[in-house]
Amino acid sequence: MMGECVDGAVVEAGKCSEHGKKLVYFCKGEKLRVCSKCAIVGSHQGHSVVPVEEALGELKDLLSARSKDLESKSLEQSLRLEEIDRNVTTAKEEIEMLQHQVGNDFAALRNFLDAEEKALMEEIAAEAQGTLEELDRLKSECLQRMGSLKRLAEPLNSTLQTDNLREILKVLNTTSDGSDCCETMNDPIIRFKGERFHSPLQYRVWKKMFQVIQTVAEPFTFDPLTAHPYLEVSTNQRSVTPRCEALPVAYADDRFDTSLCVLGNEPLSTGKRYWEVSVRNSAKWDLGVAYSSIPRHGDLMYKPSRGIWCLTLREGCIYQACDELDIELHIQHKPSRIGIYVDYEGGVVLFLNAETMQMIHVFRASFTEQLLPLYSPCIVEKSSNEQRLTIFKLIL
């Protein structure tokens, strides 16, 4: 019968080599089976010793707990794998949709440009054909007159060689001075009117291109009825400036009374919208969108969970995306104009450097309420003009 190693000695299975007793106890510290004498007076005296049956139960409990832990971790990885597979499927669908959209958008632009080029080429060809045909007609008439005048001049030239008075008078009386064949010789000589095609062609076509562009910078406005008393909204409602003193405005439920904010007039509840805000050289501002139901009284918390998706600037160089935990953004070139793009159904709020059209940050969300643009030029510190926010209007 195979033996068991206990304290370095090989013994019969279930018996202690030193004391000859059954190994009915288990030393937890050295993880060995021992007899009662080993536990009381032997080498395992003072160790944590328990009956084998109890140790077996504890070890099985440990195995069971470890097995459940591994099973739980395996389940976590299975769920993670399922989420990865879902994201793969979603990513493929979004990529396919985006590629289709980009293809359609560029196809529309190409079709527009091709149609503009074709129409302009046809217009040039028609103008050229009409001009050249008219010049050919004038040239043909001119050649005919030259032939007629030459024929009239021939008898005159030959008569110049004689001194016969009668002959000279005869020729003068029988020949014409050519005025009859030159009655239309003063018809205006037209020229090709190319100057009508010499305008700034690309700029002209670019302006016409807006008829096929679905999303362009819109001239949004500020809602003065929501503006904090320390904010002055311009008459055309396209600029807002912080003041050192409060304006004498009426209290209203819609007006901010603590946060130095103002909302836009334009609700966003469907489709895609884009607008640009000129921030000039301002050292601080807040820009974004918010649910129209956000509180107007008390401090605002710029967080998506509070219905606000916002980008901020502080100290002229610290840009932050206000997520549940603020995200500091590293921007190399300070933009003087910020573009804000909202795709309501797509759940996107995108901030851009409007001069380079480079992305600054994007929020993903599932909107459940009407959105409104949110602005804050922050508390005035130096020249208020430096902190003015102005909605950019595209001049077409």
Side-chain angles (χ1 to χ4, degrees):
M1 179 181 293
M2 292 293 291
E4 182 176 356
C5 181
V6 179
D7 291 346
V10 177
V11 300
E12 286 186 30
K15 293 233 179 176
C16 174
S17 62
E18 182 177 356
H19 305 105
K21 289 182 170 290
K22 291 184 179 180
L23 305 172
V24 294
Y25 291 97
F26 181 78
C27 176
K28 291 184 177 181
E30 298 188 22
K31 294 183 172 56
L32 293 172
R33 290 177 65 180
V34 297
C35 70
S36 58
K37 280 197 172 183
C38 288
I40 297 172
V41 296
S43 58
H44 293 274
Q45 183 181 359
H47 292 185
S48 178
V49 176
V50 297
V52 168
E53 293 78 7
E54 183 181 336
L56 187 62
E58 290 178 358
L59 292 174
K60 283 189 174 181
D61 288 342
L62 183 62
L63 285 175
S64 177
R66 186 170 296 178
S67 175
K68 289 181 179 178
D69 183 57
L70 291 173
E71 185 179 350
S72 175
K73 289 179 179 178
S74 178
L75 178 60
E76 287 178 4
Q77 293 305 309
S78 296
L79 295 175
R80 179 178 174 82
L81 182 60
E82 290 178 4
E83 184 178 359
I84 291 172
D85 288 337
R86 285 195 300 271
N87 284 358
V88 168
T89 301
T90 301
K92 287 181 178 179
E93 292 174 352
E94 187 172 350
I95 290 167
E96 183 179 359
M97 180 181 67
L98 186 60
Q99 289 174 334
H100 181 69
Q101 178 183 334
V102 170
N104 286 343
D105 287 348
F106 275 93
L109 293 176
R110 280 192 293 270
N111 291 338
F112 170 80
L113 291 174
D114 289 343
E116 285 294 305
E117 180 184 12
K118 181 181 179 183
L120 186 57
M121 287 296 192
E122 289 176 351
E123 192 175 349
I124 293 173
E127 181 71 19
Q129 181 179 359
T131 300
L132 293 176
E133 286 180 353
E134 178 63 13
L135 290 174
D136 283 343
R137 183 186 70 79
L138 294 175
K139 180 178 179 180
S140 176
E141 290 182 356
C142 189
L143 289 173
Q144 291 177 3
R145 296 190 193 104
M146 289 175 63
S148 299
L149 292 171
K150 183 177 180 181
R151 288 190 295 273
L152 290 173
E154 285 177 353
L156 298 177
N157 292 334
S158 62
T159 306
L160 287 173
Q161 307 301 319
T162 180
D163 292 330
N164 188 322
L165 183 59
R166 182 180 293 178
E167 186 66 21
I168 291 174
L169 290 171
K170 177 181 178 183
V171 169
L172 287 173
N173 291 330
T174 58
T175 59
S176 169
D177 62 2
S179 58
D180 54 341
C181 67
C182 296
E183 291 179 356
T184 59
M185 66 182 299
N186 291 324
D187 284 355
I189 300 176
I190 66 170
R191 62 179 182 83
F192 178 65
K193 298 177 181 178
E195 61 273 7
R196 57 182 291 207
F197 305 106
H198 291 170
S199 61
L201 176 62
Q202 292 178 334
Y203 180 68
R204 180 159 57 93
V205 174
W206 174 76
K207 293 183 72 172
K208 289 184 66 177
M209 193 181 294
F210 283 92
Q211 63 188 269
V212 298
I213 297 178
Q214 296 179 353
T215 306
V216 298
E218 300 184 62
F220 279 8
T221 55
F222 300 105
D223 182 358
L225 298 179
T226 66
H228 187 280
Y230 276 76
L231 295 181
E232 181 177 5
V233 176
S234 63
T235 304
N236 63 7
Q237 298 184 5
R238 287 198 11 246
S239 290
V240 60
T241 307
R243 293 172 55 92
C244 296
E245 298 178 355
L247 291 168
V249 293
Y251 175 86
D253 289 339
D254 291 339
R255 189 182 300 283
F256 291 101
D257 63 4
T258 304
S259 296
L260 212 72
C261 294
V262 60
L263 295 174
N265 275 310
E266 295 73 17
L268 312 170
S269 57
T270 185
K272 302 171 183 177
R273 309 291 292 274
Y274 175 71
W275 68 103
E276 296 178 1
V277 184
S278 175
V279 295
R280 298 190 176 186
N281 296 316
S282 177
K284 54 185 180 179
W285 43 255
D286 307 336
L287 297 174
V289 295
Y291 283 143
S292 57
S293 62
I294 62 169
R296 313 299 168 85
H297 309 306
D299 290 325
L300 286 179
M301 294 186 67
Y302 292 167
K303 293 181 182 298
S305 60
R306 300 300 183 97
I308 300 175
W309 294 262
C310 190
L311 191 74
T312 67
L313 171 66
R314 295 294 182 270
E315 299 179 18
C317 61
I318 302 175
Y319 294 87
Q320 285 189 331
C322 301
D323 213 321
E324 299 309 310
L325 294 176
D326 291 344
I327 302 170
E328 186 166 345
L329 307 173
H330 302 284
I331 299 176
Q332 293 182 342
H333 304 291
K334 182 178 180 179
S336 63
R337 202 163 74 235
I338 301 295
I340 305 171
Y341 172 78
V342 175
D343 179 352
Y344 192 91
E345 286 81 7
V348 171
V349 180
L350 178 65
F351 294 90
L352 301 158
N353 180 334
E355 295 162 313
T356 63
M357 297 308 289
Q358 290 182 327
M359 187 185 80
I360 297 175
H361 185 74
V362 60
F363 287 100
R364 295 279 186 173
S366 295
F367 302 122
T368 57
E369 299 180 29
Q370 176 182 268
L371 294 168
L372 286 172
L374 174 72
Y375 313 90
S376 174
C378 300
I379 298 173
V380 63
E381 288 184 350
K382 297 179 181 179
S383 171
S384 61
N385 287 334
E386 292 182 2
Q387 291 179 236
R388 179 184 301 162
L389 299 179
T390 304
I391 304 296
F392 174 75
K393 183 178 181 181
L394 187 64
I395 305 300
L396 298 178

